[in-house]
């Protein structure tokens, strides 16, 4: 019998203790229970306070348990992971609470009648009425703003990526960056000053102009980033075949980045759909249906919500929450459409 066969094997020093997969859930449950106990003992009645206490206990408990069972290095890694999860929950919980409150209060009066009728002669203190005139105004104003901002933004991005050189390109980039952070009220005041110069009355297209100003830099930035993702090899291959540069952009660059460009435009539409300040200054609002955005005051969903909630009536509060739910659904649909288009138009990869 050889000596190697009777020599006992040493335990591997490369493997240490390992927490089971259910350990984080157990620590989280214990932290919540202990946080509730501490809050009850201290007389804290706010759910935010005990949630923060439970989060701190979870991070501390994760480090202590992981350091004892595994090692300090692995414990630090688990603490960082725990902090990421806590930050994620802190961001998601208010959003989920906002959506839940809007749904809970908005479904009271949200029905087919509410979506297909206007306020007309209905007073704010009376029940009834609807948001058809506001939906129509929002669709027209946002649609006209998109017709103005989308082509200008896309062409500006094409210039910056494909042709832009020198001081002019740097100046355009600078002003696009400035316009990205411009407050919406400033865009409204700019269009309002033009209306006062020409002695014009409030009308829907004026709101579309202000919304287009807010939408343009978003379209430029998103389109510019999508165009930069197109490989230069595609451009060079097209140019090597003798294809002019404008045709290369039209037939190669734009189709390749079409999904991302469309997604950026849809997200910019969702961004301007909830603007209230420019519409309040320029469109003025109306209780009646006005299908002509070039003549007379017009309603919109954000302005309708602002006016109904500001009236102070219980029935108006219900209508404001229902309109808010409709606006959230509109923005959500736009985001889903943008994701669908991005996935549909994404370049197909071979095996």
């Amino acid at each position: 019998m050889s000596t190697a066969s009777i020599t006992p094997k040493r335990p591997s020093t490369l493997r240490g203790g390992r927490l089971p997969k259910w350990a984080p859930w157990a620590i989280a449950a214990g932290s919540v229970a202990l946080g509730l106990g501490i809050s009850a003992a201290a007389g804290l009645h706010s759910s935010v306070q005990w949630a923060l206490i439970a989060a701190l206990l979870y991070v501390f408990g994760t480090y202590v348990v992981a350091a004892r069972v595994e090692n300090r290095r692995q414990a630090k890694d688990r603490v960082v992971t725990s902090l990421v999860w806590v930050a994620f929950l802190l961001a998601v919980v208010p959003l989920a609470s906002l959506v839940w409150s809007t749904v809970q209060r908005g479904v009271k009066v949200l029905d087919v009648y509410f979506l297909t009728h206007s306020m007309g002669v209905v007073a704010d203190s009376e029940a009834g009425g609807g948001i058809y005139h506001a939906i129509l105004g929002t669709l027209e104003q946002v649609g006209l703003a998109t017709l103005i901002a989308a082509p200008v933004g896309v062409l500006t991005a094409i210039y910056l990526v494909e042709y832009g050189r020198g001081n002019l390109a740097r100046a355009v980039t600078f002003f696009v960056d400035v316009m990205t952070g411009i407050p919406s009220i400033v865009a409204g005041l700019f269009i309002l000053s033009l209306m006062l110069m020409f002695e014009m009355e409030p009308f829907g297209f004026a709101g579309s102009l202000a919304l287009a100003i807010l939408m343009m830099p978003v379209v430029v930035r998103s389109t510019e980033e999508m165009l930069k993702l197109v490989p230069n090899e595609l451009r060079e291959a097209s140019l090597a075949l003798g294809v002019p540069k404008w045709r290369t952009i039209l037939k190669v660059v734009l189709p390749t980045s079409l999904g991302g460009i469309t997604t950026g435009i849809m997200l910019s539409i969702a961004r301007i759909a909830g603007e209230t300040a420019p519409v309040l200054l320029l469109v003025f609002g109306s209780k009646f249906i006005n299908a002509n955005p070039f003549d007379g005051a017009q309603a919109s969903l954000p302005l309708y919500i602002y006016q109904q909630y500001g009236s102070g009536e219980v029935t108006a509060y219900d209508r404001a929450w229902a309109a808010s739910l409709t606006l959230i659904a509109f923005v959500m649909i736009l985001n889903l459409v943008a994701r669908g288009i991005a996935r549909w138009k994404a370049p197909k990869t071979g095996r």
Side-chain angles (χ1 to χ4, degrees):
M1 181 180 294
S2 62
T3 308
S5 61
I6 61 175
T7 303
K9 293 183 178 181
R10 294 182 179 181
S12 175
T13 58
L14 298 178
R15 293 184 180 181
R18 190 75 178 175
L19 288 176
K21 293 182 178 180
W22 50 264
W25 297 101
I27 297 173
S31 301
V32 170
L34 188 58
L36 288 173
I38 294 175
S39 300
L44 303 177
H45 302 288
S46 174
S47 57
V48 176
Q49 292 174 330
W50 76 257
L52 292 176
I53 294 174
L56 293 176
L57 291 173
Y58 174 71
V59 174
F60 179 74
T62 300
Y63 179 80
V64 172
V65 174
R68 187 170 184 83
V69 176
E70 298 175 335
N71 53 63
R72 291 188 177 183
R73 182 177 180 181
Q74 189 66 21
K76 292 179 181 179
D77 179 74
R78 288 186 177 275
V79 166
V80 173
T81 305
S82 302
L83 290 174
V84 171
W85 277 104
V86 169
F88 169 74
L89 292 176
L90 290 177
V92 169
V93 169
L95 295 177
S97 176
L98 172 64
V99 173
W100 172 250
S101 298
T102 306
V103 172
Q104 187 179 24
R105 300 185 183 187
V107 295
K108 293 181 180 180
V109 297
L110 185 62
D111 52 18
V112 177
Y113 178 88
F114 183 74
L115 296 174
T116 56
H117 287 74
S118 66
M119 290 301 293
V121 295
V122 179
D124 293 337
S125 58
E126 298 176 352
I131 57 172
Y132 175 77
H133 61 305
I135 294 176
L136 182 63
T138 296
L139 293 177
E140 291 182 349
Q141 293 161 27
V142 173
L144 290 172
T146 304
L147 291 177
I148 298 170
V152 175
V154 171
L155 292 175
T156 302
I158 291 175
Y159 166 75
L160 292 175
V161 175
E162 303 294 338
Y163 298 98
R165 300 292 185 275
N167 295 330
L168 180 58
R170 285 192 291 269
V172 173
T173 303
F174 172 76
F175 282 111
V176 168
D177 292 337
V178 172
M179 289 179 62
T180 303
I182 189 174
S184 59
I185 189 67
V186 175
L189 288 174
F190 172 71
I191 301 299
L192 179 62
S193 63
L194 297 179
M195 292 174 59
L196 294 177
M197 288 173 58
F198 294 100
E199 298 181 354
M200 302 174 68
E201 297 293 330
F203 61 109
F205 184 66
S208 298
L209 293 175
L211 296 178
I213 294 175
L214 299 174
M215 182 179 176
M216 248 181 270
V218 181
V219 176
V220 172
R221 273 284 166 247
S222 59
T223 304
E224 188 178 0
E225 294 302 322
M226 291 300 104
L227 294 177
K228 289 180 180 178
L229 293 177
V230 178
N232 286 327
E233 289 77 6
L234 295 178
R235 297 181 176 90
E236 294 170 355
S238 178
L239 294 173
L241 295 174
V243 180
K245 187 170 185 177
W246 68 269
R247 197 171 184 84
T248 299
I249 296 172
L250 188 63
K251 296 294 185 180
V252 177
V253 177
L254 286 179
T256 306
S257 57
L258 184 60
I261 294 173
T262 307
T263 302
I265 293 175
M266 299 295 288
L267 294 178
S268 63
I269 293 174
R271 190 263 188 202
I272 65 172
E275 291 292 344
T276 307
V279 180
L280 179 62
L281 289 175
L282 306 172
V283 180
F284 204 67
S286 173
K287 289 187 175 184
F288 298 92
I289 299 173
N290 180 13
N292 185 4
F294 299 97
D295 183 24
Q298 199 176 36
S300 72
L301 280 174
L303 183 57
Y304 177 89
I305 297 168
Y306 172 77
Q307 292 174 338
Q308 289 295 308
Y309 202 84
S311 66
E313 301 291 340
V314 176
T315 53
Y317 285 162
D318 294 337
R319 287 191 291 263
W321 281 108
S324 301
L325 180 58
T326 305
L327 185 59
I328 290 177
F330 176 70
V331 174
M332 187 179 298
I333 291 172
L334 286 179
N335 280 272
L336 292 176
V337 171
R339 289 178 178 272
I341 293 175
R343 181 171 296 182
W344 175 43
K345 291 295 183 179
K348 302 299 185 295
T349 57
R351 292 184 178 179

